[in-house]
């Protein structure tokens, strides 16, 4: 809710040049298939602080490769938790928690589940660029995967109250989720882990 779409305020040419000169040369070495070429982008600023948006629920991006750089300011908390790849057996298993530092960026695939953990103090502002590859998308893109049954119970930190059908099996819905219209779909019926845990069991 607290941010601005840069392409709508005349900054598309600048971001396109930044993408061409800096983002693509790095991304193509890290992700040679998804970043074989970049044809477009959706670029925006986000801001988190107390009294506004604290964090962002687990999700995947509508991008082939995402660039996320922290621009400021002084804050605690507001980490970025990464889970598995869309449709993989470990889709909802925690893999890494990234700590933002001003001036440092992270590049990741759009179909990796991730979420912005709640900020504790201060204010954090980030520039995010969703990079898209038209040729890759014509072949199905990052959704052209065969969805697989989950290998085990999800990590608690990887649960999404927006998307996960079984969220309440493991955690109570936050107040914000109770106020919104939910249409959860994940995992598709028959693809959840074979066993369910008792709510409250210690885990990430």
């Amino acid at each position: 809710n607290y941010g601005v779409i840069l392409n709508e305020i005349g900054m598309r040419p600048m971001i396109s040049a930044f993408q061409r000169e800096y983002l693509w040369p790095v991304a193509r070495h890290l992700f040679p298939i998804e970043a074989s070429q970049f044809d477009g982008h959706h670029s925006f600023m986000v801001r988190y602080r107390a009294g506004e948006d604290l964090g962002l629920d687990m999700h995947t991006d509508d991008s082939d490769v995402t660039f996320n750089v922290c621009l400021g300011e002084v804050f605690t908390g507001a980490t970025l938790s990464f889970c598995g790849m869309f449709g993989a057996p470990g889709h909802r298993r925690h893999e890494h928690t990234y700590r933002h530092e001003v001036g440092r960026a992270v590049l990741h695939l759009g179909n990796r589940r991730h979420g912005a953990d709640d900020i504790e103090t201060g204010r954090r502002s980030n520039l995010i660029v969703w990079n898209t590859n038209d040729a890759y998308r014509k072949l199905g893109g990052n959704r052209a995967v065969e969805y697989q049954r989950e290998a085990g119970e999800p990590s608690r930190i990887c649960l999404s109250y927006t998307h996960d059908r079984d969220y309440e099996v493991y955690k109570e819905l936050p107040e914000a989720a109770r106020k919104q219209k939910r249409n959860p779909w994940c995992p598709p019926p028959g693809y959840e882990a074979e066993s369910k845990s008792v709510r409250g069991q210690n885990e990430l």
Side-chain angles (χ1 to χ4, degrees):
N1 294 329
Y2 294 90
V4 60
I5 299 175
L6 301 183
N7 292 352
E8 294 181 353
I9 59 171
M11 296 185 68
R12 182 187 295 274
M14 185 188 77
I15 300 297
S16 295
F18 177 65
Q19 179 191 61
R20 182 176 59 253
E21 298 297 327
Y22 298 100
L23 295 186
W24 180 62
V26 175
R28 65 178 175 172
H29 287 291
L30 295 174
F31 311 113
I33 297 175
E34 296 84 355
S36 60
Q37 64 189 57
F38 281 161
D39 303 288
H41 61 82
H42 173 63
S43 305
F44 53 99
M45 294 281 299
V46 296
R47 185 179 72 196
Y48 300 98
R49 72 175 177 183
E52 298 181 350
D53 288 336
L54 299 178
L56 185 61
D57 189 29
M58 279 284 161
H59 61 284
T60 56
D61 295 337
D62 186 17
S63 73
D64 299 314
V65 178
T66 295
F67 169 83
N68 185 338
V69 60
C70 181
L71 302 180
E73 301 166 7
V74 178
F75 57 89
T76 59
T79 50
L80 189 62
S81 289
F82 287 100
C83 305
M85 305 300 290
F86 176 82
H91 177 210
R92 298 193 295 169
R93 295 294 302 176
H94 179 256
E95 295 194 5
H96 179 69
T97 294
Y98 174 81
R99 297 188 179 278
H100 288 284
E101 294 181 11
V102 176
R104 190 173 74 169
V106 59
L107 275 169
H108 64 86
L109 293 176
N111 62 342
R112 180 173 291 281
R113 178 174 276 217
H114 60 287
D117 305 317
D118 284 356
I119 195 166
E120 296 169 357
T121 64
R123 180 169 67 180
R124 174 168 73 81
S125 298
N126 283 56
L127 165 65
I128 298 174
V129 180
W130 287 358
N131 302 279
T132 54
N133 177 343
D134 290 347
Y136 176 61
R137 292 191 166 208
K138 286 178 181 178
L139 297 176
N142 58 27
R143 291 297 186 267
V145 298
E146 181 179 351
Y147 210 101
Q148 302 175 63
R149 178 185 288 274
E150 292 186 316
E153 293 180 355
S155 301
R156 303 303 186 268
I157 198 170
C158 292
L159 290 168
S160 166
Y161 56 78
T162 303
H163 304 293
D164 293 348
R165 296 187 301 110
D166 56 357
Y167 185 92
E168 291 180 272
V169 172
Y170 304 102
K171 298 173 70 174
E172 292 186 6
L173 280 175
E175 184 178 351
R178 298 191 190 103
K179 297 178 180 179
Q180 69 182 34
K181 183 178 180 181
R182 300 173 62 240
N183 187 26
W185 62 271
C186 180
Y191 289 87
E192 54 274 281
E194 293 185 4
S195 62
K196 298 289 185 182
S197 70
V198 177
R199 185 185 301 173
Q201 179 178 335
N202 291 329
E203 190 183 7
L204 278 172

